[in-house]
Coordinates of all heavy atoms in Angstrom, one line a residue:
M1 N 71.8 4.3 55.2 CA 71.0 5.5 54.7 C 70.9 5.2 53.2 O 71.9 5.1 52.5 CB 71.8 6.7 55.0 CG 71.3 7.9 54.4 SD 70.1 9.0 55.2 CE 71.1 9.6 56.4
P2 N 69.6 5.5 52.6 CA 69.5 5.3 51.2 C 70.2 6.5 50.6 O 70.5 7.5 51.3 CB 67.9 5.4 51.1 CG 67.4 5.3 52.3 CD 68.3 5.5 53.3
H3 N 70.4 6.4 49.2 CA 70.9 7.7 48.6 C 70.3 7.7 47.3 O 69.4 6.8 47.0 CB 72.5 7.4 48.3 CG 72.8 6.2 47.4 ND1 72.7 4.9 47.7 CD2 73.0 6.4 46.0 CE1 73.0 4.2 46.6 NE2 73.2 4.9 45.5
M4 N 70.4 8.8 46.7 CA 69.9 9.1 45.3 C 70.8 9.9 44.6 O 71.8 10.6 45.1 CB 68.4 9.6 45.4 CG 68.3 11.1 46.0 SD 66.7 11.8 45.6 CE 66.8 12.1 43.9
I5 N 70.5 10.0 43.2 CA 71.4 10.8 42.4 C 70.7 11.8 41.6 O 69.7 11.5 41.0 CB 72.1 9.7 41.4 CG1 73.1 9.0 42.2 CG2 72.9 10.5 40.2 CD1 73.2 7.4 41.6
F6 N 71.3 12.9 41.6 CA 70.6 14.1 40.8 C 71.6 14.2 39.7 O 72.8 14.4 39.9 CB 70.5 15.4 41.7 CG 69.5 15.4 42.7 CD1 69.7 15.1 44.0 CD2 68.2 15.7 42.4 CE1 68.8 15.1 45.0 CE2 67.2 15.9 43.3 CZ 67.5 15.5 44.6
I7 N 71.0 14.4 38.5 CA 71.9 14.8 37.3 C 71.5 16.2 37.0 O 70.2 16.6 36.6 CB 71.6 13.9 36.1 CG1 71.9 12.5 36.6 CG2 72.5 14.4 34.8 CD1 71.6 11.4 35.4
E8 N 72.3 17.1 37.2 CA 72.0 18.7 37.1 C 72.0 18.9 35.6 O 72.4 18.1 34.7 CB 73.2 19.4 37.9 CG 73.1 19.0 39.4 CD 74.0 20.0 40.3 OE1 75.2 20.2 39.8 OE2 73.7 20.2 41.3
S9 N 71.4 20.2 35.4 CA 71.3 20.4 34.0 C 72.5 20.5 33.1 O 72.5 20.4 31.9 CB 70.4 21.6 33.8 OG 70.6 22.5 34.9
D10 N 73.6 20.7 33.7 CA 74.9 20.7 32.9 C 75.5 19.3 32.9 O 76.6 19.1 32.4 CB 75.8 21.7 33.5 CG 76.4 21.1 34.9 OD1 75.9 20.2 35.4 OD2 77.3 21.9 35.4
G11 N 74.8 18.3 33.3 CA 75.2 16.8 33.2 C 75.9 16.4 34.5 O 76.4 15.1 34.5
T12 N 76.2 17.2 35.4 CA 76.9 16.8 36.6 C 76.1 15.9 37.5 O 74.9 16.0 37.7 CB 77.2 18.0 37.5 OG1 77.9 19.0 36.7 CG2 78.2 17.6 38.6
R13 N 76.7 14.6 37.8 CA 76.0 13.7 38.6 C 76.3 14.0 40.1 O 77.5 14.0 40.5 CB 76.4 12.4 38.3 CG 75.7 11.6 37.2 CD 76.4 10.3 37.0 NE 75.9 9.1 37.8 CZ 74.9 8.4 37.4 NH1 74.3 8.6 36.3 NH2 74.5 7.5 38.2
R14 N 75.3 14.1 41.0 CA 75.5 14.2 42.4 C 74.9 13.1 43.1 O 73.5 13.1 43.2 CB 75.0 15.7 42.8 CG 75.8 16.7 42.2 CD 75.7 18.0 42.9 NE 75.6 18.0 44.3 CZ 75.1 19.0 45.0 NH1 74.7 20.0 44.4 NH2 75.1 18.9 46.4
E15 N 75.6 12.4 43.8 CA 75.1 11.3 44.7 C 74.9 11.9 46.0 O 76.0 12.3 46.6 CB 75.9 10.2 44.6 CG 75.4 8.9 45.3 CD 76.0 7.6 44.9 OE1 76.7 7.5 44.0 OE2 75.8 6.8 45.7
V16 N 73.7 11.7 46.6 CA 73.5 12.4 48.0 C 72.8 11.4 49.0 O 72.1 10.4 48.4 CB 72.7 13.7 47.9 CG1 73.5 14.7 46.9 CG2 71.3 13.4 47.3
D17 N 72.9 11.7 50.1 CA 72.2 10.8 51.1 C 70.6 11.2 51.0 O 70.3 12.3 50.7 CB 72.6 11.2 52.5 CG 73.9 10.8 52.9 OD1 74.3 9.7 52.2 OD2 74.5 11.2 53.9
A18 N 69.7 10.3 51.1 CA 68.4 10.4 50.8 C 67.5 9.8 52.1 O 67.1 8.7 52.0 CB 68.0 9.8 49.6
P19 N 67.5 10.6 53.2 CA 66.7 10.0 54.3 C 65.3 9.6 54.0 O 64.6 10.2 53.1 CB 66.6 11.2 55.3 CG 67.7 12.1 54.8 CD 67.8 11.9 53.4
L20 N 64.9 8.4 54.5 CA 63.5 8.0 54.2 C 62.5 8.9 54.7 O 62.7 9.5 55.8 CB 63.3 6.6 55.0 CG 64.2 5.5 54.7 CD1 64.0 4.3 55.6 CD2 64.0 5.1 53.2
G21 N 61.4 9.0 53.9 CA 60.4 9.9 54.2 C 60.5 11.4 53.8 O 59.5 12.2 53.9
L22 N 61.7 11.7 53.4 CA 61.8 13.1 52.8 C 61.4 13.1 51.3 O 61.6 12.0 50.6 CB 63.2 13.5 52.9 CG 63.8 14.0 54.2 CD1 65.0 14.8 54.0 CD2 62.8 14.8 55.1
S23 N 60.9 14.1 50.9 CA 60.7 14.1 49.4 C 61.9 14.5 48.6 O 62.9 15.0 49.2 CB 59.6 15.3 49.1 OG 60.1 16.5 49.2
V24 N 61.9 14.2 47.4 CA 63.0 14.6 46.4 C 63.3 16.0 46.4 O 64.6 16.4 46.5 CB 62.7 14.0 45.0 CG1 63.6 14.7 44.0 CG2 62.8 12.6 44.9
L25 N 62.2 16.8 46.6 CA 62.5 18.3 46.8 C 63.3 18.6 48.0 O 64.2 19.4 48.0 CB 61.2 19.0 46.7 CG 61.1 20.5 47.0 CD1 62.0 21.3 45.8 CD2 59.9 21.0 47.1
E26 N 62.8 18.0 49.0 CA 63.5 18.4 50.4 C 65.0 17.9 50.3 O 65.9 18.5 50.9 CB 62.8 17.6 51.5 CG 61.5 18.2 52.0 CD 60.5 17.3 52.7 OE1 60.4 16.1 52.6 OE2 59.9 18.0 53.5
I27 N 65.2 16.7 49.7 CA 66.6 16.1 49.6 C 67.4 17.1 48.9 O 68.6 17.3 49.2 CB 66.5 14.7 49.0 CG1 65.7 13.8 49.9 CG2 67.9 14.2 48.6 CD1 65.4 12.4 49.4
A28 N 66.8 17.5 47.7 CA 67.6 18.6 46.8 C 68.0 19.8 47.7 O 69.2 20.1 47.7 CB 66.8 18.8 45.7
H29 N 67.0 20.2 48.5 CA 67.3 21.5 49.2 C 68.4 21.2 50.2 O 69.3 22.0 50.5 CB 66.0 22.0 49.8 CG 65.2 22.8 48.8 ND1 64.0 23.3 49.2 CD2 65.4 23.0 47.6 CE1 63.5 23.8 48.1 NE2 64.3 23.7 47.2
K30 N 68.3 20.0 50.9 CA 69.3 19.7 52.1 C 70.7 19.7 51.4 O 71.6 20.0 52.2 CB 68.9 18.2 52.5 CG 69.1 17.8 53.8 CD 68.5 16.5 54.1 CE 69.5 15.5 54.6 NZ 70.0 15.9 56.0
H31 N 70.8 19.4 50.1 CA 72.1 19.3 49.6 C 72.6 20.3 48.7 O 73.5 20.3 47.9 CB 72.3 18.0 48.9 CG 72.2 16.7 49.8 ND1 73.1 16.3 50.7 CD2 71.2 15.9 50.0 CE1 72.7 15.2 51.3 NE2 71.4 14.9 51.0
G32 N 71.7 21.5 48.6 CA 72.0 22.6 47.7 C 71.8 22.3 46.3 O 72.6 22.8 45.4
V33 N 71.0 21.2 46.0 CA 70.8 21.0 44.5 C 69.8 22.0 44.0 O 68.8 22.4 44.8 CB 70.2 19.6 44.3 CG1 69.8 19.3 42.9 CG2 71.2 18.6 44.7
D34 N 69.9 22.5 42.8 CA 69.2 23.8 42.3 C 67.9 23.3 41.8 O 67.6 23.4 40.7 CB 70.0 24.4 41.3 CG 69.4 25.7 40.7 OD1 68.6 26.3 41.6 OD2 69.8 26.2 39.8
L35 N 66.9 23.0 42.7 CA 65.5 22.7 42.3 C 64.7 23.7 43.2 O 64.9 23.7 44.4 CB 65.3 21.2 42.7 CG 64.0 20.6 42.4 CD1 63.9 20.5 40.9 CD2 63.8 19.2 43.0
E36 N 63.8 24.4 42.6 CA 63.2 25.5 43.2 C 62.2 25.2 44.2 O 62.4 25.4 45.3 CB 62.8 26.5 42.1 CG 62.2 27.7 42.8 CD 61.6 28.8 41.7 OE1 62.0 28.7 40.6 OE2 60.9 29.7 42.3
G37 N 61.1 24.6 43.7 CA 60.0 24.3 44.8 C 59.3 25.4 45.4 O 59.3 25.5 46.6
A38 N 58.8 26.4 44.5 CA 58.3 27.6 45.0 C 57.2 27.4 46.0 O 57.1 28.3 46.8 CB 57.9 28.5 43.9
C39 N 56.2 26.4 45.8 CA 55.2 26.4 46.7 C 55.5 25.4 47.9 O 54.6 25.1 48.7 CB 54.0 26.0 46.0 SG 53.9 24.2 45.6
E40 N 56.7 24.9 48.1 CA 57.0 24.0 49.2 C 56.3 22.9 49.2 O 56.0 22.4 50.4 CB 57.2 24.9 50.4 CG 58.4 25.8 50.4 CD 58.5 26.6 51.5 OE1 57.7 26.6 52.5 OE2 59.3 27.7 51.6
G41 N 55.8 22.3 48.2 CA 55.3 21.0 48.2 C 53.9 20.9 48.3 O 53.2 19.9 48.5
S42 N 53.2 22.1 48.1 CA 51.7 22.1 48.2 C 51.0 22.1 46.8 O 49.8 22.3 46.6 CB 51.1 23.4 48.9 OG 51.8 24.4 48.5
L43 N 51.8 21.4 45.8 CA 51.1 21.2 44.5 C 50.5 22.4 43.9 O 49.5 22.3 43.2 CB 50.0 20.2 44.6 CG 50.5 18.7 44.5 CD1 49.4 17.8 44.4 CD2 51.3 18.5 43.1
A44 N 51.2 23.6 44.0 CA 50.6 24.8 43.4 C 51.6 25.5 42.5 O 51.5 26.6 42.2 CB 50.4 25.7 44.5
C45 N 52.7 24.8 42.1 CA 53.6 25.3 41.1 C 54.1 24.2 40.5 O 53.8 23.0 40.6 CB 54.7 26.0 41.8 SG 56.0 24.9 42.6
A46 N 55.1 24.3 39.4 CA 55.8 23.1 38.8 C 57.2 23.3 38.8 O 57.9 22.7 38.0 CB 55.2 23.0 37.5
T47 N 57.6 24.1 39.7 CA 59.2 24.5 39.8 C 60.0 23.4 40.4 O 61.1 23.5 40.5 CB 59.3 25.8 40.5 OG1 58.9 25.7 41.8 CG2 58.6 27.0 39.8
C48 N 59.2 22.3 40.9 CA 60.0 21.3 41.4 C 60.2 20.1 40.4 O 60.3 18.9 40.8 CB 59.5 20.9 42.8 SG 57.8 20.1 42.5
H49 N 59.8 20.4 39.2 CA 59.8 19.4 38.2 C 61.2 18.7 37.9 O 62.2 19.3 37.8 CB 59.6 20.3 36.9 CG 59.5 19.4 35.5 ND1 59.9 20.0 34.3 CD2 59.5 18.0 35.2 CE1 59.9 19.1 33.4 NE2 59.7 17.9 33.9
V50 N 61.2 17.4 37.9 CA 62.3 16.6 37.7 C 62.0 15.5 36.6 O 60.7 15.1 36.6 CB 62.8 15.7 38.9 CG1 63.3 16.8 40.0 CG2 61.9 14.9 39.6
V51 N 62.9 15.0 35.9 CA 62.6 14.0 34.9 C 63.3 12.7 35.6 O 64.5 12.6 35.8 CB 63.3 14.2 33.7 CG1 63.1 13.1 32.6 CG2 62.9 15.5 33.0
V52 N 62.5 11.7 35.7 CA 62.8 10.5 36.4 C 63.5 9.5 35.4 O 63.1 9.5 34.3 CB 61.6 9.8 37.1 CG1 62.1 8.4 37.8 CG2 61.1 10.7 38.1
D53 N 64.6 9.0 35.8 CA 65.3 7.9 35.0 C 64.3 6.9 34.5 O 63.5 6.3 35.4 CB 66.4 7.3 35.7 CG 67.3 6.4 34.9 OD1 66.9 5.2 34.8 OD2 68.4 6.8 34.4
P54 N 64.4 6.6 33.2 CA 63.3 5.7 32.8 C 63.2 4.3 33.4 O 62.2 3.7 33.6 CB 63.6 5.4 31.2 CG 64.4 6.6 30.9 CD 65.1 7.1 32.1
D55 N 64.5 3.8 33.9 CA 64.5 2.7 34.7 C 63.8 2.7 36.0 O 63.3 1.7 36.6 CB 66.0 2.2 34.9 CG 66.6 1.8 33.7 OD1 66.0 1.5 32.7 OD2 68.0 1.7 33.7
W56 N 63.8 3.9 36.5 CA 63.1 4.1 37.9 C 61.7 4.5 37.9 O 60.9 4.3 38.8 CB 64.0 5.2 38.7 CG 65.3 4.6 39.2 CD1 66.4 4.7 38.6 CD2 65.5 3.9 40.4 NE1 67.4 4.0 39.5 CE2 66.8 3.5 40.6 CE3 64.5 3.4 41.4 CZ2 67.3 2.8 41.6 CZ3 65.0 2.7 42.5 CH2 66.4 2.5 42.6
A57 N 61.2 5.1 36.7 CA 60.0 5.6 36.7 C 58.8 4.6 37.0 O 57.9 4.9 37.9 CB 59.5 6.1 35.3
P58 N 59.0 3.3 36.6 CA 57.9 2.4 36.9 C 57.9 2.1 38.4 O 56.8 1.4 39.0 CB 58.1 1.1 36.0 CG 59.3 1.5 35.3 CD 59.9 2.7 35.9
K59 N 58.9 2.3 39.2 CA 59.0 2.0 40.6 C 58.3 3.0 41.4 O 58.1 2.8 42.8 CB 60.4 1.8 41.0 CG 61.1 0.7 40.2 CD 62.5 0.4 40.8 CE 63.1 -0.8 40.0 NZ 64.2 -0.4 39.1
L60 N 58.0 4.1 40.9 CA 57.3 5.2 41.7 C 55.8 4.9 41.8 O 55.2 4.5 40.8 CB 57.5 6.6 41.0 CG 59.1 7.0 40.9 CD1 59.1 8.4 40.4 CD2 59.8 6.8 42.2
T61 N 55.1 5.6 42.9 CA 53.7 5.5 42.8 C 53.2 6.4 41.8 O 53.8 7.5 41.5 CB 53.1 5.8 44.2 OG1 53.8 7.0 44.6 CG2 53.3 4.6 45.2
A62 N 52.1 6.0 41.2 CA 51.6 6.8 40.0 C 51.2 8.2 40.5 O 50.8 8.5 41.6 CB 50.3 6.2 39.4
P63 N 51.3 9.3 39.7 CA 51.1 10.6 40.0 C 49.5 10.8 40.3 O 48.7 10.1 39.6 CB 51.6 11.4 38.8 CG 51.7 10.6 37.6 CD 51.9 9.2 38.3
T64 N 49.1 11.6 41.2 CA 47.6 11.9 41.3 C 47.3 12.8 40.3 O 48.1 13.4 39.4 CB 47.4 12.6 42.7 OG1 48.3 13.9 42.5 CG2 47.9 11.9 43.9
E65 N 46.0 13.0 40.1 CA 45.4 13.9 39.0 C 45.9 15.4 39.2 O 46.3 16.0 38.3 CB 43.9 13.9 39.1 CG 43.3 13.8 37.7 CD 41.8 13.4 37.8 OE1 41.6 12.3 38.0 OE2 41.0 14.5 37.7
D66 N 46.1 15.7 40.5 CA 46.4 17.1 40.8 C 48.0 17.3 40.4 O 48.3 18.3 39.8 CB 46.5 17.4 42.3 CG 45.0 17.5 42.7 OD1 44.0 17.9 41.9 OD2 44.8 17.5 44.0
E67 N 48.8 16.3 40.5 CA 50.2 16.2 40.1 C 50.2 16.4 38.6 O 50.9 17.2 38.0 CB 50.9 15.2 40.6 CG 52.4 15.3 40.2 CD 53.3 14.1 40.6 OE1 52.8 13.2 41.5 OE2 54.4 13.9 40.1
E68 N 49.4 15.6 37.9 CA 49.4 15.6 36.4 C 49.0 17.0 36.0 O 49.5 17.6 35.1 CB 48.3 14.5 36.0 CG 48.5 13.2 36.2 CD 49.3 12.4 35.2 OE1 50.0 13.1 34.4 OE2 49.2 11.3 35.2
D69 N 48.0 17.5 36.5 CA 47.5 18.9 36.1 C 48.6 19.9 36.2 O 48.8 20.7 35.3 CB 46.3 19.4 36.9 CG 44.9 18.5 36.7 OD1 45.1 17.9 35.6 OD2 44.0 18.7 37.4
M70 N 49.4 19.9 37.4 CA 50.4 20.9 37.6 C 51.5 20.6 36.6 O 52.2 21.6 36.1 CB 51.0 20.7 39.0 CG 50.9 21.8 39.9 SD 50.5 23.4 39.3 CE 49.0 23.7 40.2
L71 N 51.9 19.3 36.3 CA 53.0 19.0 35.5 C 52.7 19.5 34.1 O 53.6 19.9 33.4 CB 53.0 17.4 35.4 CG 54.0 16.8 36.3 CD1 53.9 15.4 36.3 CD2 55.6 17.3 36.1
D72 N 51.5 19.5 33.6 CA 51.1 20.1 32.3 C 51.6 21.5 32.2 O 51.9 21.9 31.1 CB 49.6 20.1 32.1 CG 49.1 18.6 31.9 OD1 49.9 17.8 31.5 OD2 47.8 18.6 32.0
L73 N 51.8 22.3 33.2 CA 52.3 23.5 33.3 C 53.9 23.6 33.2 O 54.5 24.8 32.9 CB 51.9 24.4 34.4 CG 50.4 24.4 34.5 CD1 50.1 25.2 36.0 CD2 49.7 25.0 33.3
A74 N 54.5 22.6 33.6 CA 56.0 22.5 33.6 C 56.8 22.7 32.3 O 56.1 22.2 31.2 CB 56.5 21.2 34.1
F75 N 57.8 23.4 32.2 CA 58.5 23.7 31.0 C 59.4 22.4 30.8 O 60.0 21.8 31.7 CB 59.4 24.9 31.3 CG 60.2 25.3 30.0 CD1 59.6 26.0 29.1 CD2 61.6 24.9 29.9 CE1 60.4 26.4 28.0 CE2 62.2 25.2 28.8 CZ 61.7 26.0 27.9
G76 N 59.4 22.0 29.4 CA 60.4 20.9 29.2 C 59.8 19.5 29.6 O 60.5 18.7 29.9
L77 N 58.4 19.4 29.5 CA 57.9 18.1 30.1 C 58.4 16.9 29.3 O 58.4 17.0 28.1 CB 56.4 18.3 29.9 CG 55.5 17.3 30.8 CD1 55.7 17.6 32.2 CD2 54.0 17.4 30.3
E78 N 58.7 15.9 29.9 CA 59.1 14.6 29.3 C 58.1 13.5 29.8 O 57.5 13.6 30.8 CB 60.5 14.3 29.5 CG 61.3 15.4 29.0 CD 62.9 15.0 28.9 OE1 63.2 13.8 28.9 OE2 63.6 15.9 28.8
K79 N 58.3 12.3 29.1 CA 57.5 11.1 29.5 C 57.6 10.8 31.0 O 56.5 10.3 31.6 CB 57.8 9.9 28.6 CG 56.6 9.7 27.7 CD 56.8 8.6 26.7 CE 57.1 7.2 27.1 NZ 57.7 6.5 26.0
T80 N 58.6 10.9 31.4 CA 58.9 10.4 32.8 C 59.0 11.7 33.9 O 59.5 11.5 35.0 CB 60.1 9.6 33.0 OG1 61.2 10.2 32.6 CG2 60.0 8.2 32.2
S81 N 58.5 12.7 33.4 CA 58.5 14.0 34.3 C 57.6 13.7 35.5 O 56.5 13.1 35.5 CB 57.9 15.2 33.6 OG 58.8 15.7 32.6
R82 N 58.1 14.3 36.7 CA 57.3 14.2 37.9 C 57.5 15.4 38.7 O 58.5 16.2 38.4 CB 57.7 13.0 38.8 CG 57.4 11.6 38.2 CD 55.8 11.4 38.1 NE 55.2 11.5 39.4 CZ 54.9 10.4 40.1 NH1 55.3 9.2 39.8 NH2 54.4 10.5 41.3
L83 N 56.7 15.8 39.8 CA 57.1 16.8 40.6 C 57.9 16.3 41.8 O 57.4 15.4 42.5 CB 55.7 17.3 41.1 CG 54.9 18.1 40.0 CD1 53.7 18.7 40.6 CD2 55.8 19.2 39.3
G84 N 59.0 17.0 42.0 CA 59.9 16.3 43.0 C 59.3 16.3 44.4 O 59.7 15.6 45.3
C85 N 58.4 17.3 44.6 CA 57.8 17.3 46.1 C 56.9 16.1 46.3 O 56.4 15.9 47.4 CB 57.1 18.5 46.4 SG 55.7 18.8 45.3
Q86 N 56.6 15.4 45.2 CA 55.6 14.4 45.4 C 56.2 13.0 45.4 O 55.5 11.9 45.5 CB 54.5 14.4 44.2 CG 53.9 15.8 44.2 CD 52.9 15.9 45.5 OE1 52.1 15.1 46.0 NE2 53.3 17.1 46.1
I87 N 57.5 12.9 45.2 CA 58.2 11.6 45.3 C 58.8 11.6 46.8 O 59.6 12.3 47.1 CB 59.3 11.6 44.3 CG1 58.7 11.9 43.0 CG2 59.9 10.2 44.3 CD1 59.8 11.9 41.8
V88 N 58.5 10.6 47.5 CA 58.8 10.5 48.8 C 59.7 9.3 48.9 O 59.5 8.1 48.3 CB 57.7 10.2 49.8 CG1 58.2 9.9 51.2 CG2 56.8 11.5 49.9
M89 N 60.9 9.4 49.6 CA 62.0 8.5 49.6 C 61.4 7.3 50.4 O 61.0 7.3 51.5 CB 63.2 9.0 50.3 CG 64.4 8.3 49.9 SD 64.7 8.3 48.1 CE 65.9 7.2 47.8
T90 N 61.6 6.0 49.9 CA 61.5 4.8 50.5 C 62.6 3.9 50.4 O 63.5 4.2 49.5 CB 60.1 4.0 49.9 OG1 60.4 3.7 48.6 CG2 58.8 4.9 50.0
E91 N 62.8 2.7 51.0 CA 63.9 1.7 50.9 C 63.9 1.3 49.4 O 64.9 1.1 48.9 CB 63.5 0.5 51.6 CG 63.6 0.7 53.2 CD 65.0 0.8 53.8 OE1 65.9 0.7 53.0 OE2 65.1 0.8 55.1
A92 N 62.7 1.2 48.8 CA 62.5 0.6 47.5 C 63.2 1.6 46.4 O 63.5 1.4 45.3 CB 61.1 0.4 47.1
L93 N 63.4 3.0 46.8 CA 63.9 3.9 45.9 C 65.3 4.2 46.2 O 65.9 5.3 45.6 CB 63.0 5.1 46.0 CG 61.5 5.0 45.6 CD1 60.9 6.4 45.7 CD2 61.4 4.6 44.2
D94 N 66.0 3.5 46.9 CA 67.4 3.5 47.3 C 68.2 3.5 45.9 O 68.1 2.5 45.2 CB 67.9 2.5 48.2 CG 69.4 2.7 48.6 OD1 69.9 3.7 48.3 OD2 69.9 1.7 49.3
G95 N 68.9 4.6 45.5 CA 69.5 4.6 44.3 C 68.8 5.4 43.1 O 69.3 5.5 42.1
L96 N 67.6 5.8 43.5 CA 66.9 6.7 42.5 C 67.6 7.7 41.8 O 68.5 8.4 42.3 CB 65.8 7.4 43.3 CG 64.8 8.2 42.5 CD1 64.1 7.5 41.4 CD2 64.0 9.0 43.4
V97 N 67.5 7.7 40.4 CA 68.1 8.7 39.6 C 67.2 9.8 39.0 O 66.2 9.2 38.4 CB 68.9 8.1 38.4 CG1 69.7 9.1 37.6 CG2 69.8 7.0 39.0
V98 N 67.3 10.9 39.1 CA 66.4 12.1 38.6 C 67.3 13.0 37.9 O 68.4 13.4 38.4 CB 65.3 12.5 39.5 CG1 64.6 11.6 40.3 CG2 66.0 13.5 40.5
R99 N 66.9 13.7 36.8 CA 67.5 14.7 36.1 C 66.7 15.9 36.3 O 65.5 16.0 36.2 CB 67.6 14.3 34.7 CG 68.3 15.0 33.7 CD 68.8 14.4 32.5 NE 67.6 13.7 31.7 CZ 66.7 14.4 31.1 NH1 66.8 15.8 31.0 NH2 65.8 13.8 30.5
L100 N 67.5 17.1 36.5 CA 66.9 18.3 36.5 C 66.6 18.7 35.0 O 67.4 18.5 34.2 CB 67.7 19.4 37.1 CG 68.3 19.1 38.6 CD1 68.9 20.4 39.1 CD2 67.1 18.5 39.5
P101 N 65.4 19.2 34.8 CA 65.1 19.6 33.4 C 65.9 20.8 32.9 O 66.3 21.6 33.8 CB 63.5 19.9 33.5 CG 63.3 20.3 34.9 CD 64.3 19.6 35.7
R102 N 66.0 20.9 31.6 CA 66.8 22.1 31.0 C 65.9 23.4 31.3 O 64.7 23.2 31.2 CB 67.0 21.7 29.6 CG 68.3 21.2 29.2 CD 68.4 21.1 27.7 NE 67.7 20.1 27.3 CZ 67.9 18.7 27.3 NH1 69.1 18.4 27.7 NH2 67.0 17.9 26.8
T103 N 66.6 24.3 31.7 CA 65.8 25.5 31.9 C 65.8 26.5 30.8 O 65.0 27.5 30.8 CB 66.3 26.2 33.2 OG1 67.6 26.2 33.1 CG2 65.9 25.4 34.5
A104 N 66.5 26.3 29.8 CA 66.4 27.1 28.6 C 66.4 26.4 27.4 O 66.7 25.2 27.4 CB 67.7 28.1 28.6
Ligands
FES201 S1 57.1 22.5 45.1 FE1 55.3 23.3 44.1 S2 54.4 21.6 43.3 FE2 56.3 20.8 44.1

């Protein structure tokens, strides 16, 4: 089973199982990681915002224009910011590291 790592806003690292085909948002919810995802993956909010580790960012498929537009609304946007509901787990992403953005 692939795994991935969430770095919570207080710096806590959480390594969790990351079943193939699930989005980062779904994986977060499965493990009680505090990522909101208000629209449940329909690209209508930016509350699933995560900051991808710079080493991993190039390995992800490029964001769609809709994702980019939504990200523009995210608080604390960074260069490697993505929407967690749009990152789907694949073998190639085994070990993925994402950070939860600061909320204040
Ligand atoms: S959950 Fe709303 S855009 Fe990802």
Side-chain angles (χ1 to χ4, degrees):
M1 165 96 67
H3 68 284
M4 65 166 290
I5 293 151
F6 288 96
I7 302 175
E8 297 184 325
S9 32
D10 66 358
T12 309
R13 268 173 92 89
R14 289 198 42 198
E15 184 163 345
V16 297
D17 288 343
L20 296 175
L22 286 196
S23 70
V24 165
L25 175 66
E26 290 166 320
I27 294 166
H29 283 177
K30 212 169 128 60
H31 297 284
V33 173
D34 189 20
L35 187 61
E36 188 180 341
C39 78
E40 291 175 3
S42 49
L43 269 182
C45 73
T47 60
C48 62
H49 173 205
V50 294
V51 180
V52 178
D53 182 279
D55 288 344
W56 282 95
K59 302 191 174 107
L60 302 183
T61 44
T64 60
E65 219 166 287
D66 287 345
E67 183 181 345
E68 298 269 19
D69 287 349
M70 236 354 115
L71 267 174
D72 284 341
L73 307 175
F75 184 82
L77 197 66
E78 295 188 29
K79 246 173 57 205
T80 59
S81 286
R82 294 293 302 263
L83 293 179
C85 67
Q86 301 300 305
I87 305 172
V88 174
M89 203 57 192
T90 61
E91 295 277 5
L93 295 183
D94 187 9
L96 175 69
V97 182
V98 305
R99 182 160 56 75
L100 304 189
R102 265 182 289 277
T103 47

